[in-house]
Every structure is written in structure tokens, then in C-alpha cells.
Amino acid sequence: MIPAAPPETLPSLRVWQRKAMVAYHRGQSRDFLAVATPGAGKTTFALRIAYDLLADGTVDTVTVVAPTEHLKAQWAGAAARFGIQLDPAFRNADVHSAADYHGVVLTYAQIGADPAVHRRRTLARRTLVILDEIHHAGDARSWGDGVKTAFDEAERRLALTGTPFRSDDNPIPFVEYEQEADGAMRSRADALYGYRDALADGVVRPVMFMAYSGQAKWRTSAGDELAVRLGQPLTKDLTSQAWRTALDPEGEWIKQVIRAADRRLSSLRSAGIPDAGGLIIASDQNSARAYAGILKRVTGKSATIVLSDDAGSSDKIAKFAESQEEWLVAVRMVSEGVDIPRLAVGVYATNAHTPLYFAQAIGRFVRSRRPGETASVFLPSVIPLLSLAENLEADRDHVIKPKSQDEDPELLLEQAQRVLNEGTELGGQRETLESNAELDQVIFDGGSFGLPVEAGSAEEQEYLGLPGLLTQEQVHLLLQKRQREQMAKQKSGARTETVERPQTEPAMTNAQKRLKLRKQLNALVGARSFATNEPHGKIHAKLRSTCGGPPSAQATIEQLEERIAVIRSW
């Protein structure tokens, strides 16, 4: 059955999509992997390929496999614009779809439940299989095995992903791997369009990360009371406990961050993006409900709550996407592929920190609609997230490391016991005693800007009130200006004017001083990198050559202060 839409009515293609389409038709290969950053238009590219193959008779039917139920309806709606009718309600028990459909949309879980049904469908007609976010096929053995069983006889397989890497070594079905010198296996894409390329083309928005630190105090199950500063160099366990304390709805940290995020959203809506929306990503359902309650109390605004096991969750997402409502709170329903282009502010209130989950979450905010839009994501100032934020533009592949005979058995046991489904409940026996928030730094384009300021301060508002429609260069210049002003105030001894100022300022430990100086140095390096176009690493190397000493992570307080003085003199 030929698609109903005439060629002249098809959606226009971006440059990367046209290049990928030419590569696809030129190669005529059975398998093709297209890696494109979230928001770049993978769906449009795949449906254009489906249109061409149906029109020239290469295939008779199309099967789309998506990660979630919500995306089934989204795929069917997008396909209809190409004159391709897909059945999003197909059940395994149906065996066959109605004759007036060009194909079906399924989920990976649906395939894993009964791969034999889909193998019979694939054998019955020449089939193009579109595997959306193909990395999910490795989430469970039944999913990966099911996909291979169901589609190993397909006429064509088109795999799509915005995050072509996993948090484990499970191979991704139908993806080609190339062996490297060290024995590792690296995935190979047939078409690649990364975030950096899409940013340069104006296809996606730049993201400004507002990283918040602050004090966290809690009581352990043994009755011990611990107090640390979020973002300090800590052990893995202490970092995790402090992070959980910050995200606890009973503490002040999350209240202050939600209030700050709402101020940022209001600033965007009043200055060029009137329909801008916000999303709070929670770790679990109880936290999601609690965060919606906090939003109501501190701002007076109600939020749409989306929980994966609620009836009508997909309808809620679709309704929010088309509305003017300000806030959405969700756990995992708003994941990769969900298209809400007006999302411009996010609160990353989850303890998930794998590169895969982080990239998927940030992908909800990067879809570009007009020049000058910038997304703002608020997150805890902890090293795992700061590293991911700074390396957002890095292209990644899925690498399967070679197994070593000398691997630590304790590490293997830990990996075996680890829960791979990120975003699970915070859990654990602990009691939050106290927490507060402080804007620690702003991360933009891989650089760090600003000095720590308290939540509710006038200086914080200067960052929250940045204009909503700016070019990337203008954002850089404004952040540099804010930073210079802060440094000037600090140098002159001016105190930050705050809404709620503590009566006494505790003396900083050497670890706190070192962390503050490293952030200050990184901010200056970032500013110089933007001005001179030199890589950050090269600037750090010049400083070490001039001043001597080890890398920043091992440098003493005196060495860091000397490097800051030198870079300021350049």
C-alpha cells in the first residue's frame, strides 16, 4: 500500500537529514544506525526513509518499536503527516493489523513479551523495522533477545538513537561494533549528528546549568548526625547522602531551588518566551507529589503531575504540550522522544547520574523553536552532575570493554547487585535535619561562571533574570559581566545583600577554600577560553608552566591563588 501523501507535501528536511538519506539510499544496506542529538529530528528522517521504501516497493509494511506507550501515539501522529497510517493500539493477541494500516507501533516490552508473534508478522511481509532509541533493546535480556528473534529476517532495519551508549556492557542488537587496539568494542554509526553540530546549526538550544550547593545535615540509622556542604570533595557515600538530603521534600534546599526555577521561568515568560514551560524531574512518585505541593506553597502555582502508572498519563503530556500551563512534574514518563518544545526550565531533582539518563533528561529542554532561546536547568552541585553538565557537547559511542582476568571481585559483585534502572526511589534509613541552597556556579558551553551566592540574594536574581532571547555569544558576554561584577565586589569587601542572611559566617575549612579557588580558577579559564578560542586544557597547561606545580586537583591553596593572580594579569 503506497503512502497517501504526495511527495510535494512532505515535511522539509534539514541538511543532516538529507545527507543521511542520501547515505542510506546509496548504501542499500540491511542495517543502518542514525545517531542524532535529541531534538534534531530523528523521527522525520526515519519516516522519510519509510515513505521512500514503501513508495518504491522495497518493503510492504513498517514496524516501529518505541521505548514507551506514550511514544506509540506520537509516532503514529507523525507518520500520518507522511500519509503513512500506523496502528498504535496493536496488541500481541491481535496477530495481524487491519488491512488499511501501513504498519504498527510497538514497545520493546511488547516485543520481549512474545517475540514469536512479531517474527511471524515480519516473515509474512517485507518489513522495514524502525528501532527508536535502540539502546533500550539491551535494557533486559528478554528485550534484546526478543528484538533479535522478531526482526532478524526483516528486509530493512533502521536504528535510531540520541544517546548511543549504555551504562553497562550489554551489546545493542543490530548495531555494528568495531574492535579497538585495547580490545574494546565501539559502536559505529552510519549517520552522526551530535549536539555540538546541532548547536552550531541552530537546531537545538544551548543549555545553561544553574548548579546549587548548600549545607546538608542528616541523622543516620545508627543515630549519628552528619553535616556537610553539598559539592565538597566527599566520599561516594557521603556525596550520595548529602544529595538525598538536598532532594528531601522536608528540607529547605529543594524549596529554595524550586522557587528560584520559578523565578527564572517567570523571567523567560515575560521577556520573549510567553509560553515557556518548566519540568521538575523527580526520583520517585512520592517525591513528585511532594514537589508539586512545594511549588503550590512557595509560588501559588499548580503543576500537572505525570506518573507512569496513572491512567491517562499520555493524554496529560499531550495536553500540557499544547497548553500555556507553567509546570509539569514527572518521574520517568517524560523521557526520550517526548516532544514538548516549549519546555525551557528544568529542575533535575533526581539522584540518577549515569551519562545515559542525564543526556535523556536534558534532551527534553534542547528542542529549538526560534533563534535565541536558551534552556535553563537547575541541579545539585555534586561532582557527578557537574562533570556531565560540563561535557554535554561530547559525542559518545557505546563501548564494550574487554573482560579482564584481574578484575576486582568486590567490584564485580557491586556491579552485579547494582540496580540498572536509574531514577528509582531514594529509599534508605535516614532523617533530614536541615538543608539550604546556594547558587554555586553557572555552567554554560563547558565553562563555569560566577561565585557562590545565597538563594534569595540580589546577586542570584541577576543570574535568574538573564534575558530569554540571546545568542550564545551574548549569553557568554553577560555571564562574564556578572562574574566580573561579583569579583569586584568580593575584592572590595562588599557583602552580598540577601533576603535571609545568617547571623554568623562559619570559617571555611581548607577543603572548602580549595574547592572555592578551583571553581574561581575554572571560571577564569572558561572566560579566557571564550575570548581566545584556546582549549581549557591548554590554558591550564600554560598556567602550570608559568607557576609550576601539579594539576589543579592536587594543587595547594597557595598554588591556586598564584594561578588566579597570573591569569587575571594576562
Side-chain angles (χ1 to χ4, degrees):
M1 185 168 60
I2 304 300
E8 61 271 16
T9 65
L10 299 182
S12 59
L13 298 181
R14 292 168 175 158
V15 173
W16 83 264
Q17 293 166 330
R18 291 199 298 270
K19 289 181 178 178
M21 185 177 70
V22 169
Y24 183 91
H25 289 307
R26 179 183 296 152
Q28 294 289 310
S29 58
R30 191 177 188 186
D31 287 294
F32 191 95
L33 172 61
V35 175
T37 190
K42 294 184 294 295
T43 301
T44 297
F45 162 70
L47 289 171
R48 178 54 190 265
I49 297 298
Y51 179 94
D52 291 346
L53 297 182
L54 286 169
D56 66 17
T58 301
V59 301
D60 304 312
T61 187
V62 176
T63 296
V64 177
V65 187
T68 65
E69 287 289 331
H70 171 74
L71 292 180
K72 289 167 67 174
Q74 192 165 294
W75 265 98
R81 294 194 289 273
F82 286 80
I84 300 173
Q85 301 302 322
L86 300 178
D87 182 5
F90 181 86
R91 300 173 303 166
N92 289 354
D94 294 337
V95 182
H96 300 291
S97 57
D100 53 355
Y101 280 116
H102 292 92
V104 300
V105 191
L106 313 168
T107 63
Y108 287 101
Q110 197 172 348
I111 301 295
D114 197 346
V117 167
H118 306 288
R119 180 176 178 83
R120 288 194 295 270
R121 293 185 67 258
T122 302
L123 289 170
R125 303 175 70 188
R126 292 174 300 169
T127 302
L128 164 66
V129 180
I130 299 174
L131 298 158
D132 186 24
E133 304 298 352
I134 181 64
H135 54 269
H136 279 292
D139 281 356
R141 183 171 181 178
S142 63
W143 289 18
D145 291 346
V147 165
K148 285 186 285 188
T149 298
F151 305 124
D152 64 351
E153 295 295 332
E155 184 74 20
R156 296 286 183 90
R157 290 180 292 259
L158 175 56
L160 311 172
T161 181
T163 48
F165 52 94
R166 293 184 52 77
S167 304
D168 53 44
D169 287 338
N170 290 342
I172 303 172
F174 305 128
V175 169
E176 182 178 343
Y177 290 84
E178 296 176 338
Q179 188 163 5
E180 299 189 322
D182 62 356
M185 303 296 290
R186 181 178 295 273
S187 61
R188 186 188 68 81
D190 298 287
L192 176 62
Y193 189 63
Y195 178 77
R196 185 183 295 274
D197 295 330
L199 198 58
D201 293 342
V203 171
V204 296
R205 298 170 179 153
V207 181
M208 184 164 57
F209 292 97
M210 319 291 283
Y212 277 74
S213 60
Q215 291 295 118
K217 184 177 181 181
W218 69 94
R219 182 181 292 115
T220 68
S221 57
D224 299 326
E225 292 187 6
L226 298 174
V228 302
R229 180 176 175 77
L230 198 68
Q232 274 187 326
L234 302 168
T235 65
K236 185 177 179 181
D237 181 62
L238 279 177
T239 296
S240 175
Q241 295 292 331
W243 190 345
R244 291 166 59 189
T245 300
L247 298 182
D248 192 332
E250 296 300 317
E252 288 299 311
W253 188 95
I254 190 64
K255 296 183 179 69
Q256 292 169 335
V257 169
I258 287 176
R259 182 185 291 113
D262 183 68
R263 288 174 180 163
R264 179 63 182 153
L265 182 62
S266 296
S267 175
L268 294 179
R269 290 175 72 99
S270 63
I273 315 178
D275 65 340
L279 168 63
I280 301 173
I281 304 174
S283 292
D284 58 79
Q285 297 183 8
N286 291 335
S287 295
R289 295 186 182 97
Y291 294 159
I294 289 172
L295 181 71
K296 181 68 174 177
R297 290 195 298 276
V298 302
T299 71
K301 299 174 183 177
S302 298
T304 297
I305 305 176
V306 176
L307 305 175
S308 57
D309 60 357
D310 281 358
S313 292
S314 294
D315 292 338
K316 284 184 179 180
I317 294 174
K319 183 180 178 182
F320 179 85
E322 298 299 325
S323 73
Q324 295 286 318
E325 294 178 30
E326 294 190 42
W327 282 102
L328 179 69
V329 183
V331 182
R332 288 185 65 85
M333 277 297 291
V334 183
S335 60
E336 69 236 274
V338 173
D339 192 7
I340 311 177
R342 67 187 189 87
L343 284 179
V345 175
V347 179
Y348 193 87
T350 172
N351 60 336
H353 58 278
T354 65
L356 176 62
Y357 187 90
F358 187 82
Q360 292 170 354
I362 302 307
R364 300 317 96 218
F365 305 96
V366 301
R367 297 175 185 270
S368 180
R369 298 184 300 173
R370 76 195 82 168
E373 288 188 347
T374 300
S376 302
V377 176
F378 292 69
L379 46 72
S381 185
V382 291
I383 290 174
L385 293 186
L386 297 180
S387 176
L388 291 171
E390 290 169 356
N391 292 285
L392 179 65
E393 296 183 19
D395 293 329
R396 293 184 176 92
D397 298 311
H398 182 219
V399 178
I400 301 177
K401 298 178 182 177
K403 295 187 184 303
S404 170
Q405 300 298 321
D406 301 323
E407 284 185 300
D408 184 352
E410 292 296 327
L411 179 60
L412 292 176
L413 178 61
E414 179 187 345
Q415 291 173 340
Q417 293 173 336
R418 182 177 34 162
V419 177
L420 297 178
N421 184 23
E422 301 93 356
T424 53
E425 293 190 9
L426 294 176
Q429 296 297 316
R430 44 169 297 288
E431 178 188 358
T432 295
L433 299 178
E434 182 183 337
S435 68
N436 60 69
E438 178 183 88
L439 177 57
D440 188 33
Q441 59 181 303
V442 177
I443 297 173
F444 184 76
D445 195 24
S448 175
F449 300 86
L451 303 176
V453 295
E454 290 182 42
S457 68
E459 287 186 335
E460 180 202 39
Q461 186 57 41
E462 289 180 352
Y463 285 102
L464 299 179
L466 287 171
L469 292 174
L470 294 173
T471 66
Q472 198 168 353
E473 291 74 18
Q474 288 172 329
V475 174
H476 261 291
L477 291 172
L478 270 179
L479 288 174
Q480 289 173 331
K481 180 175 182 290
R482 297 281 190 270
Q483 182 171 276
R484 286 195 299 269
E485 291 169 350
Q486 279 188 284
M487 289 179 174
K489 285 183 181 179
Q490 186 183 72
K491 195 172 182 179
S492 65
R495 293 179 58 86
T496 302
E497 182 183 332
T498 61
V499 175
E500 296 177 349
R501 182 182 301 171
Q503 295 300 312
T504 58
E505 288 288 343
M508 286 193 293
T509 65
N510 282 353
Q512 289 172 322
K513 289 179 184 176
R514 185 176 285 104
L515 181 65
K516 182 176 180 179
L517 289 169
R518 283 185 62 191
K519 288 176 180 174
Q520 192 172 340
L521 176 61
N522 287 338
L524 290 167
V525 168
R528 183 164 181 83
S529 173
F530 177 72
T532 64
N533 208 27
E534 288 183 285
H536 289 216
K538 187 174 182 180
I539 298 172
H540 278 292
K542 282 184 178 179
L543 287 170
R544 287 182 62 193
S545 177
T546 302
C547 305
S552 298
Q554 289 82 43
T556 65
I557 290 174
E558 291 75 15
Q559 289 169 333
L560 291 171
E561 288 175 336
E562 182 183 4
R563 292 177 195 181
I564 288 171
V566 168
I567 194 172
R568 280 178 171 168
S569 69
W570 287 353

